[in-house]
Amino acid sequence: MSKSLSKSVIYGERALIESIRRRVQSSSSALRLGIGDDCAILRPEPEEEIVVTTDFSLESVHFRRDWHSPESVGHRCLARGLSDLAAMGARPLAAFLSLAVPSEFATVSKGKKSWIERFLDGLFALARHCKVPLAGGDSAQSPQLACFDIVLIGAVPQSRALLRSTARPGDLIYVTGALGGAAAELLAVERAPRRFAKLTAASGDHPHLFPQPRLAAAAKLAAARLAHSAIDISDSLSTDLAHICDESRLAAELDAASIPIHPLASKAVRTRRPPSALDLALHGGEDYELLFTASPRAKIPKRIAGVPIHRIGRMLPRRPGQPQVTLRDHEGSTSTLTPRGWEHFRS
């Protein structure tokens, strides 16, 4: 687009789709046909199964235009789906993006990129990094708020997908990376959104604005058959561990002293907003780290694909009248850990 543009221009749907198509880069052998026809055509490897996930990003729920740069919104939109693939131990095959945005999001003014172009900058940067092609989608004009729906297609070897339902009594519980950083950064963004408005490129220092899906670590776990079960930490450690317990019909015990605390969570306590850094790590959510269980006999390395691995608890048989998840504190006392992460439709 011409940098000499001096007045506002709104590009139509066909122009928007064509601009997206020009930006798509793919060397994926799995994508036989992408944008341009009524359907995409995927061709997985023999002896593979297909996994599919979909995730909404809703304005005023998952992002705010006065808090998040368009690049961050685009990155986060794709990262949410990629993290779901990581939780299954899947390799990405293709992404599909459907969007509904107000007309001003497609407006170019005074030679500056439109909001939607900047959104795509963030999405495509992560797509290139993770080698996942955008293979199609849909677009529409929304009267007020923006909505994005990302669909991710992945592949796993037959019967090798990591599930929530396959944890075993006696399994040790592990987590990648550190927890509480995303929730802590969100608190900082809420306090001073202008400080973060210029953050337009992904960085590991910004776990809320630019989360990093753990695809490589998950792939190595799955390939080595080290994990019995897995989930990504999107809603919170307390909530997502409860999902594993529900699906596997087990209980769990966490060791508070072993839970890795993100430095941003420790820093946030100084503002006196969260009760504690541990509270952010347990209930904050959106860390997009992997939570997995493995046999106590499994040799789990301290780092996988460059990501630190921490043992934080164990799975137990479920007993009538006993808490589903307990937390053992630094002095050895245990208490019930109630899920307090994000849940839609909960008042």
Side-chain angles (χ1 to χ4, degrees):
M1 296 176 189
S2 172
K3 292 186 177 180
S4 63
L5 206 61
S6 59
K7 61 180 180 179
S8 297
V9 177
I10 299 177
Y11 287 90
E13 182 182 20
R14 291 179 62 184
L16 174 60
I17 294 172
E18 184 56 34
S19 70
I20 293 174
R21 184 178 181 180
R22 287 196 301 267
R23 297 182 64 172
V24 172
Q25 300 176 2
S26 174
S27 58
S28 171
S29 60
L31 180 60
R32 181 182 167 195
L33 179 67
I35 296 173
D37 224 300
D38 290 307
C39 296
I41 301 177
L42 302 180
R43 181 169 43 201
E45 298 293 330
E47 306 299 319
E48 283 189 332
E49 295 177 323
I50 299 298
V51 297
V52 183
T53 184
T54 181
D55 218 320
F56 274 122
S57 290
L58 306 175
E59 186 177 359
S60 297
V61 176
H62 300 104
F63 71 92
R64 287 179 50 166
R65 67 179 82 176
D66 56 335
W67 288 10
H68 299 84
S69 70
E71 292 84 357
S72 170
V73 179
H75 177 107
R76 283 166 49 81
C77 176
L78 181 58
R80 292 158 64 89
L82 289 174
S83 187
D84 284 339
L85 293 189
M88 304 289 286
R91 67 181 181 92
L93 296 182
F96 297 82
L97 173 68
S98 293
L99 57 89
V101 297
S103 59
E104 61 263 30
F105 277 42
T107 302
V108 179
S109 181
K110 296 182 180 179
K112 295 182 180 180
K113 288 184 176 181
S114 66
W115 194 100
I116 198 65
E117 287 177 300
R118 293 178 59 192
F119 167 90
L120 292 168
D121 285 345
L123 186 145
F124 278 121
L126 182 59
R128 287 191 297 270
H129 177 73
C130 296
K131 300 179 180 179
V132 53
L134 183 64
D138 198 7
S139 60
Q141 182 174 331
S142 168
Q144 291 183 327
L145 301 180
C147 172
F148 304 95
D149 182 27
I150 194 78
V151 176
L152 269 295
I153 311 293
V156 292
Q158 287 185 7
S159 303
R160 295 274 294 278
L162 300 174
L163 307 178
R164 302 177 182 184
S165 59
T166 46
R168 304 173 189 175
D171 272 3
L172 300 180
I173 303 170
Y174 296 87
V175 69
T176 62
L179 305 180
E185 185 172 45
L186 179 58
L187 289 174
V189 171
E190 181 182 3
R191 287 196 307 272
R194 290 187 179 182
R195 283 184 48 208
F196 299 89
K198 295 182 180 180
L199 295 175
T200 60
S203 167
D205 297 330
H206 296 285
H208 169 72
L209 295 172
F210 295 98
Q212 303 300 311
R214 299 304 189 188
L215 287 164
K220 290 183 179 294
L221 278 172
R225 300 192 181 190
L226 291 174
H228 285 162
S229 67
I231 191 173
D232 72 319
I233 299 179
S234 54
D235 296 326
S236 74
L237 173 58
S238 63
T239 297
D240 291 317
L241 179 56
H243 290 325
I244 288 183
C245 290
D246 286 337
E247 296 301 320
S248 295
R249 299 182 180 181
L250 295 173
E253 181 181 85
L254 291 178
D255 179 10
S258 300
I259 295 172
I261 307 295
H262 195 284
L264 289 179
S266 299
K267 182 179 178 181
V269 177
R270 302 172 197 165
T271 67
R272 299 180 181 178
R273 286 289 299 278
S276 68
L278 179 61
D279 191 78
L280 286 177
L282 289 171
H283 310 296
E286 289 200 322
D287 287 304
Y288 296 110
E289 297 290 352
L290 290 177
L291 176 67
F292 66 94
T293 74
S295 167
R297 296 183 296 277
K299 295 182 179 180
I300 305 297
K302 293 184 178 180
R303 300 180 75 88
I304 299 178
V307 179
I309 308 296
H310 303 272
R311 188 177 75 191
I312 61 171
R314 58 179 178 148
M315 302 300 296
L316 304 169
R318 181 176 294 184
R319 303 189 188 284
Q322 296 297 312
Q324 184 181 60
V325 180
T326 55
L327 181 69
R328 184 174 295 275
D329 65 21
H330 297 70
E331 298 177 353
S333 299
T334 59
S335 59
T336 300
L337 182 64
T338 302
R340 284 170 38 207
W342 174 258
E343 183 179 350
H344 291 281
F345 309 115
R346 187 178 65 184
S347 59

